[in-house]
Amino acid sequence: MASATDPCSFSSFSKCVTKHLNLTYHVDFDSHILKAKVALTVEVLVDHFTSLTLDTKDLKVSKVTANGQAAKFTLGPKHRFMGTPLEITLPFDLSRGQHVIVEVTYETAPSASALQWLTPEQTAGKKYPYLFSQCQANHCRSMVPCQDTPAMKHTYYAQVSVPKELVAVMSAVRDGQEPDPQDSSRVIYRFRQPVPMPSYLIAIVVGALESREIGPRSRVWSEKEFVDKAAFEFSETETMLKTAEDLAGPYVWGQYDILVLPPSFPYGGMENPCLTFATPTLLAGDRSLSNVIAHEISHSWTGNLVTNKTWEHFWLNEGHTVYLERMIGRSMESEQFRQFKAMGGWKDLQESVNTFGANNPLTNLVPNMNEVDPDDAFSSVPYEKGFALLYHLEELMGGPEVFMGFVKSYIQLFAYSSVTTEEWKNYLFTYFKNKVDILNKVDWNAWMHTPGMPPVKPQYDTTMADACIALCKRWVKTKEGDLGNFNEVDVKTLSTHQLIEFLSLLLQEEPLPLSHVKRMQEVYQLNAFINAEIRFRWLRLCVKSKWEDAVPMALKMATEQGRMKFTRPLFKEVYNFDKYREEAVRVFIANRAAMHPVTANLVAKDLKVDTGKST
């Protein structure tokens, strides 16, 4: 192992490794807690092994046993974001190569950062409560005491007791259900995950869920209000899976289901194995969301099968996944489409660098994560700087087919393990051993360890972007008296992707005069669009231009869904409109309780609202 520590974990993985977790959950909606027991099968790596440390966060631990014998335990001091180390002393000592089963009985806290408990009013059906988890990056420890580091991979089995009106699903294969022998009003769902995976991919959802079959190995799950719409939106899933298999090798996880969450889910998607989580903001009615599902499908290889060893190497997960996602787009659409998406990604990267500041070390491809909360570091940098590096290497090494050969080989070599940037780079040099002289000319230090934009800007094919660029230039250059020259025909031939790009380009310019955005609404009727990507950019553009009518619409969008990609910039845009700064804070405080804990925490920081206790 390259390194035996993870700056975001208390558990030392040089002394022992978790091989399997056996989880028992009793989901209590009244008190918002999980009453739980976990048995960890731990393999010992050193002689005279007598103690181990697990990560926990806000857990109430009542009992620990080792191979059935009582074990002493203490909880250490609470860290700002890492939680609390659980120190366990075994009643015997073990030698290298032996296994021990450590069982912990505990309860989660109502404020557990991995969990969001929704009231019936916060769901689509309005009748039953709902629970979902989001463990990435280091929140699993708030629902399972574990070695909460992506360096560690294990299988898991789970049984979950829930009220019988509700359904439980997990990031695993379903293994049947039965009445709860302890309580006739409850049912137990069982799950098994036979493929070793890191703790951040453990996921649970409990709600009034229904499912529809959308392919030979896929179902879509959601509340019944969304399920048919979701089945329509995600009907291309099997085609995408097959395309990904052609590129990256066989899909090893068995089932590939998609779960559409309630609106407060903070991300576009989460690649939980066997069960991708997706935001309902994707249900736009025009299937323009394919890149999110292509991204999550790609994670089945890069991220879930080959995993970053620590969060400093997060770009290995995300850069390769974006690369693979765009290769799927290339196969299903065209090379020009891939180039167009890559240009859009470069703009997202520029926006992240502007937000963090060009000298901020968090814009390094490989940042130092010492005492850094991974939630604070989250941005498009690992995705798009990572993609830009891989695309640059693709150009140097001989094009997409040649470089995809390397990516596939890298996946096969490191499958079922966790890797560092150094291991990736060593393999790159081994695979392209005849081109080492070219690889040596790459400015690795500038790419990996220097903040700001990458040292090389790829020359992307602008065919699909040209119409967007031209229209953007017209709006920027037109004087007020000439606004009559615009009409609805301007955008009639643009695809959804191009309309999004046109608005993104305008957001990079100085704010348009108010007269211009008013005219834009008159001729293009942008207020009528329900596509979230279009609406989000349009409302930001209006608020930037100080159109007061847009403020309530922007705050409504920021609160009626909770995807951080939309919610944070919308709040910030209104906050930066001096006249409405207090209104932004007021609306945030009024809606805070209904928001996901991670989202609420980050918006509070954005709006300089006292974050109270760290969640």
Side-chain angles (χ1 to χ4, degrees):
M1 286 189 182
S3 145
T5 56
D6 174 339
C8 301
S9 170
F10 291 114
S11 69
S12 159
F13 43 90
S14 57
K15 295 196 182 109
C16 63
V17 294
T18 304
K19 290 295 180 189
H20 181 72
L21 291 182
N22 197 330
L23 274 166
T24 308
Y25 278 141
H26 180 283
V27 180
D28 184 340
F29 277 101
D30 293 332
S31 50
H32 286 185
I33 60 172
L34 301 177
K35 295 172 182 155
K37 203 155 58 174
V38 63
L40 303 97
T41 305
V42 176
E43 183 183 333
V44 175
L45 303 179
V46 293
D47 285 328
H48 310 298
F49 179 83
T50 56
S51 66
L52 72 154
T53 305
L54 299 178
D55 289 301
T56 75
K57 191 178 177 193
D58 302 327
L59 298 181
K60 202 195 288 176
V61 177
S62 55
K63 185 174 149 197
V64 178
T65 64
N67 291 347
Q69 299 179 41
K72 289 202 176 90
F73 66 92
T74 55
L75 285 160
K78 185 172 178 178
H79 179 274
R80 185 168 56 87
F81 63 83
M82 284 204 294
T84 309
L86 172 62
E87 317 272 359
I88 298 167
T89 307
L90 303 181
F92 40 73
D93 76 345
L94 294 171
S95 309
R96 179 182 169 92
Q98 289 188 286
H99 285 77
V100 57
I101 294 183
V102 176
E103 188 170 271
V104 184
T105 306
Y106 66 98
E107 287 182 1
T108 61
S111 62
S113 57
L115 303 174
Q116 190 178 13
W117 302 85
L118 301 178
T119 61
E121 298 73 53
Q122 288 172 286
T123 67
K126 311 282 184 223
K127 193 171 172 192
Y128 296 108
Y130 195 107
L131 166 69
F132 72 86
S133 68
Q134 167 60 32
C135 286
Q136 196 180 32
N138 56 353
H139 298 287
C140 185
R141 61 194 72 178
S142 73
M143 58 183 244
V144 191
C146 60
Q147 291 183 293
D148 196 7
T149 166
M152 197 65 59
K153 290 192 162 177
H154 38 69
T155 52
Y156 82 88
Y157 193 87
Q159 37 191 335
V160 183
S161 167
V162 300
K164 66 171 191 255
E165 305 76 31
L166 303 181
V167 174
V169 284
M170 289 189 79
S171 53
V173 179
R174 294 188 304 287
D175 195 36
Q177 64 188 84
E178 70 230 34
D180 187 331
Q182 254 94 54
D183 184 340
S184 60
S185 71
R186 300 177 71 88
V187 62
I188 289 174
Y189 287 88
R190 295 172 171 275
F191 305 93
R192 64 187 162 84
Q193 180 49 272
V195 182
M197 50 161 250
S199 55
Y200 75 84
L201 293 174
I202 296 174
I204 182 170
V205 171
V206 181
L209 299 172
E210 289 193 6
S211 69
R212 299 280 185 274
E213 193 173 284
I214 53 169
R217 47 187 159 174
S218 300
R219 302 187 76 81
V220 67
W221 297 81
S222 79
E223 292 182 76
K224 71 169 186 289
E225 290 74 11
F226 287 140
V227 73
D228 291 316
K229 192 172 188 188
F232 167 76
E233 294 280 1
F234 300 129
S235 57
E236 286 191 329
T237 299
E238 180 61 23
T239 311
M240 270 188 205
L241 272 170
K242 284 207 176 89
T243 306
E245 287 186 303
D246 290 343
L247 290 163
Y251 177 78
V252 304
W253 305 89
Q255 193 73 7
Y256 181 83
D257 288 1
I258 298 170
L259 172 98
V260 179
L261 283 117
S264 64
F265 182 58
Y267 298 100
M270 179 62 209
E271 66 273 15
N272 299 312
C274 309
L275 186 71
T276 279
F277 283 18
T279 167
T281 64
L282 297 182
L283 304 180
D286 58 11
R287 297 199 192 179
S288 65
L289 48 93
S290 55
N291 53 329
V292 171
I293 295 303
H295 184 89
E296 303 311 334
I297 283 175
S298 300
H299 267 307
S300 307
W301 289 267
T302 48
N304 298 7
L305 194 54
V306 181
T307 307
N308 48 231
K309 190 167 270 184
T310 67
W311 298 113
E312 289 143 314
H313 305 286
F314 187 43
W315 83 273
L316 290 174
N317 278 19
E318 296 301 350
H320 286 89
T321 297
V322 173
Y323 185 82
L324 196 47
E325 163 207 331
R326 288 183 183 147
M327 288 299 281
I328 294 173
R330 177 178 187 261
S331 298
M332 290 178 70
E333 303 264 351
S334 65
E335 173 61 16
Q336 284 185 347
F337 179 74
R338 180 174 84 119
Q339 296 280 327
F340 177 71
K341 296 308 277 185
M343 282 181 73
W346 184 270
K347 263 203 306 306
D348 291 342
L349 176 58
Q350 184 71 66
E351 185 158 344
S352 279
V353 169
N354 294 347
T355 303
F356 277 101
N359 297 316
N360 189 322
L362 291 181
T363 63
N364 288 14
L365 189 58
V366 185
N368 177 350
M369 296 295 286
N370 227 2
E371 287 299 316
V372 175
D373 183 342
D375 285 342
D376 291 342
F378 186 80
S379 75
S380 64
V381 170
Y383 297 74
E384 296 298 349
K385 204 178 206 179
F387 172 82
L389 171 59
L390 296 174
Y391 184 83
H392 177 56
L393 293 170
E394 171 196 297
E395 290 195 305
L396 294 176
M397 294 296 103
E401 282 81 6
V402 173
F403 198 71
M404 195 60 222
F406 160 71
V407 173
K408 185 174 186 176
S409 176
Y410 157 76
I411 290 166
Q412 284 166 343
L413 180 66
F414 291 106
Y416 308 104
S417 63
S418 301
V419 290
T420 63
T421 299
E422 201 176 346
E423 291 168 300
W424 168 85
K425 188 178 161 196
N426 288 343
Y427 186 58
L428 178 77
F429 275 70
T430 304
Y431 184 89
F432 290 114
K433 54 182 179 294
N434 303 330
K435 296 177 179 168
V436 166
D437 50 335
I438 303 175
L439 288 173
N440 278 327
K441 291 199 185 93
V442 172
D443 189 343
W444 294 102
N445 189 54
W447 275 101
M448 305 276 185
H449 305 292
T450 307
M453 292 300 285
V456 178
K457 180 175 182 181
Q459 292 305 300
Y460 297 120
D461 174 332
T462 63
T463 309
M464 280 183 71
D466 287 340
C468 319
I469 294 165
L471 188 58
C472 170
K473 280 187 176 151
R474 274 182 64 201
W475 277 98
V476 170
K477 290 187 172 153
T478 296
K479 301 276 182 286
E480 196 168 334
D482 299 326
L483 288 174
N485 296 338
F486 293 103
N487 61 55
E488 72 259 31
V489 177
D490 306 337
V491 292
K492 273 286 179 284
T493 57
L494 297 186
S495 69
T496 300
H497 294 288
Q498 287 174 307
L499 191 52
I500 291 167
E501 176 65 9
F502 160 65
L503 293 169
S504 298
L505 287 165
L506 283 173
L507 280 170
Q508 285 203 309
E509 302 286 339
E510 288 297 305
L512 288 172
L514 183 55
S515 53
H516 285 52
V517 289
K518 286 186 169 174
R519 175 65 182 161
M520 200 178 286
Q521 164 55 21
E522 229 171 80
V523 287
Y524 303 159
Q525 295 295 314
L526 291 166
N527 283 345
F529 279 80
I530 57 163
N531 177 296
E533 297 281 353
I534 292 172
R535 188 164 182 78
F536 159 64
R537 288 170 176 82
W538 165 240
L539 291 174
R540 279 186 72 191
L541 196 71
C542 294
V543 175
K544 267 186 193 295
S545 297
K546 307 232 184 309
W547 192 0
E548 297 190 27
D549 293 3
V551 169
M553 291 191 282
L555 290 172
K556 183 169 188 270
M557 184 173 185
T559 50
E560 68 185 9
Q561 59 74 50
R563 187 176 174 188
M564 288 198 284
K565 172 184 176 178
F566 301 148
T567 293
R568 291 182 70 188
L570 286 166
F571 265 120
K572 274 196 268 193
E573 221 66 82
V574 177
Y575 183 80
N576 291 335
F577 187 167
D578 286 346
K579 185 173 174 184
Y580 289 95
R581 175 163 294 185
E582 283 177 17
E583 177 69 357
V585 172
R586 186 192 67 74
V587 169
F588 165 62
I589 290 169
N591 285 275
R592 185 179 193 164
M595 293 168 87
H596 187 273
V598 172
T599 313
N601 220 352
L602 290 167
V603 174
K605 286 179 185 175
D606 294 338
L607 306 190
K608 300 178 178 47
V609 172
D610 174 37
T611 52
K613 79 177 185 67
S614 74
T615 49

